[in-house]
Amino acid sequence: MAIQEADLVRMSLDEVHAMAVKGLMQHGASSEQARTVADTITSAERDGCKSHGLFRLPGYIGSLKSGKITGDAVPVLSELAPAVVKVDAANGFASLPLEIGTNALAEKAREQGIAALAITNSYHFAALWPEAERLAEQGLVAFAFVTAKSYVAPAGGIKPLYGTNPMAFAWPREGKPPIVFDQASSASARGEIMIHERDGKPIPNDWAIDSEGNPTNDPTAALAGAQLPFGGYKGGSIALMVELLAGAMIGDVFSFEATANDVRDGGPPKRGEFMIAIDPSRCVAGGGAISQLAHAETLFAEILSQEGTRLPSDRRYLARESTPEEGITIPQSLYDECAALSG
Ligand code: NDP
């Protein structure tokens, strides 16, 4: 049954954050772990990214309850090469290691021109734009890649193998928030199918196949079958690249291994994340990124001169203008579930 306006609860962003912190700490998260996960959840609600907001809190808490995630994990930062840093999340959430790791990555990128970050042994099912945007806000070009669990059939196949494996790219702008695209290599994020199932809505034709390999609009059949890569084999190749970068290359697992290791407590699987940051001013002779950024603006202006276009991340930035004042809404059932978990 579709959700009606009357079934929605309005909350301020501060209430979202407080509810997440309380629920996480009540189930064993340290204050730093809880604060950073709550930051991730709140920024998703602020930017209208519902599938990574409070919707994910019961899953995160489920993994604290099952003992899968170490709530008071202390991430360990190390340097693997002059331009490669690593944060071992020590079996904890990814948000705190990402905060620590992106600070170190930004420093290395400014020193060396280009640098990489490996996050290992971490748990999240969040969006990637927060970490990519954080780097671009500091004038850096950024990439992020993460695996998931086996949900997506390789092009031509019908059995889940790849994760939904998103990648994000962020480009800094003078006096404006960065341009960020953050997209799954599947036709849709899994959370979107779960939200369609929860809200009783059909999914588009090209998102998934059922367990027999037939196209389906039924979100439940899709979740039991396999998601499809976007653009057929082209999205499949991006999913493959993400498996290699955020799995084999950094000594972490592939999505099918994350699935095999997972205890199915409703929370995220343990896996790695890989990031690259580039200082654009170190990519031209003479330094100074101003002219490069100005040049990029001419491209953005050309795009926007065509009717019907927009820049990636514009939708999020628009939501960000109103949610601090107006707050956000979540379904009453989700509110009740989160409220019960946060006591
Ligand atoms: P969408 O298809 O909704 O959007 C992908 C990107 O395209 C966004 O950056 C979006 O910007 C941009 N975009 C959308 N429409 C347009 C347009 N008309 N013109 C220009 N740009 C546009 O996202 P996905 O469903 O692929 O992924 C959703 C999220 O799920 C991502 O944040 C991803 O990181 C996350 N995810 C996380 C996983 C995990 O395990 N941690 C696994 C898989 C996905 P805008 O935001 O402004 O709409």
Side-chain angles (χ1 to χ4, degrees):
M1 202 171 61
I3 290 188
Q4 307 296 318
E5 186 67 23
D7 300 327
L8 297 174
V9 177
R10 187 163 290 278
M11 299 173 76
S12 71
L13 294 178
D14 285 346
E15 286 168 337
V16 169
H17 196 272
M19 181 180 256
V21 167
K22 208 167 160 203
L24 291 160
M25 288 187 71
Q26 213 139 345
H27 292 87
S30 65
S31 56
E32 274 300 86
Q33 290 279 354
R35 173 188 63 77
T36 46
V37 174
D39 287 351
T40 303
I41 287 174
T42 309
S43 59
E45 291 288 356
R46 179 201 62 198
D47 282 16
C49 300
K50 288 297 188 189
S51 56
H52 298 105
L54 280 172
F55 174 66
R56 294 296 189 181
L57 184 63
Y60 284 132
I61 292 178
S63 292
L64 288 172
K65 280 167 128 176
S66 74
K68 183 172 85 182
I69 296 182
T70 308
D72 58 356
V74 179
V76 181
L77 173 68
S78 59
E79 185 176 314
L80 301 179
V84 185
V85 285
K86 167 181 170 169
V87 183
D88 182 337
N91 203 55
F93 293 111
S95 298
L96 179 57
L98 279 166
E99 188 175 283
I100 295 167
T102 48
N103 288 339
L105 175 61
E107 205 174 300
K108 287 287 177 202
R110 277 190 289 266
E111 253 172 49
Q112 306 287 340
I114 180 166
L117 165 67
I119 305 272
T120 59
N121 296 319
S122 75
Y123 294 87
H124 83 53
F125 38 25
L128 298 182
W129 55 260
E131 48 264 35
E133 190 181 314
R134 194 180 300 152
L135 289 162
E137 275 168 349
Q138 301 174 54
L140 300 168
V141 175
F143 297 84
F145 310 89
V146 79
T147 52
K149 289 209 283 193
S150 285
Y151 297 132
V152 179
I158 65 165
K159 286 196 201 134
L161 174 68
Y162 299 137
T164 41
N165 295 6
M167 66 169 283
F169 169 79
W171 177 269
R173 300 180 80 183
E174 265 308 293
K176 290 185 181 150
I179 284 191
V180 187
F181 76 71
D182 174 14
Q183 57 193 36
S185 46
S186 49
S188 78
R190 192 161 190 87
E192 284 301 325
I193 302 184
M194 291 160 73
I195 287 183
H196 277 71
E197 184 184 45
R198 181 195 71 190
D199 295 351
K201 291 184 183 160
I203 57 167
N205 286 334
D206 55 351
W207 280 15
I209 46 180
D210 64 19
S211 45
E212 307 290 306
N214 304 308
T216 183
N217 300 114
D218 175 356
T220 307
L223 292 170
Q227 290 179 244
L228 294 172
F230 77 81
Y233 62 87
K234 295 182 182 179
S237 297
I238 292 181
L240 170 66
M241 175 188 73
V242 173
E243 295 284 343
L244 295 172
L245 293 177
M249 194 177 76
I250 62 168
D252 214 296
V253 294
F254 293 125
S255 299
F256 75 87
E257 294 165 330
T259 300
N261 297 340
D262 197 40
V263 297
R264 292 172 180 75
D265 52 14
K270 181 152 88 169
R271 45 30 201 295
E273 178 165 340
F274 180 64
M275 293 193 74
I276 300 167
I278 303 170
D279 181 348
S281 70
R282 306 288 295 278
C283 296
V284 285
I290 299 293
S291 64
Q292 291 151 292
L293 300 191
H295 190 193
E297 291 302 321
T298 64
L299 172 65
F300 306 146
E302 287 290 332
I303 295 169
L304 294 173
S305 72
Q306 296 195 27
E307 203 177 333
T309 62
R310 70 164 171 95
L311 297 175
S313 58
D314 277 357
R315 178 198 60 84
R316 287 192 301 105
Y317 295 144
L318 192 63
R320 197 180 288 187
E321 281 174 19
S322 58
T323 51
E325 283 290 315
E326 290 170 13
I328 57 96
T329 56
I330 60 169
Q332 179 74 53
S333 56
L334 176 61
Y335 179 86
D336 292 345
E337 188 180 6
C338 293
L341 288 168
S342 58

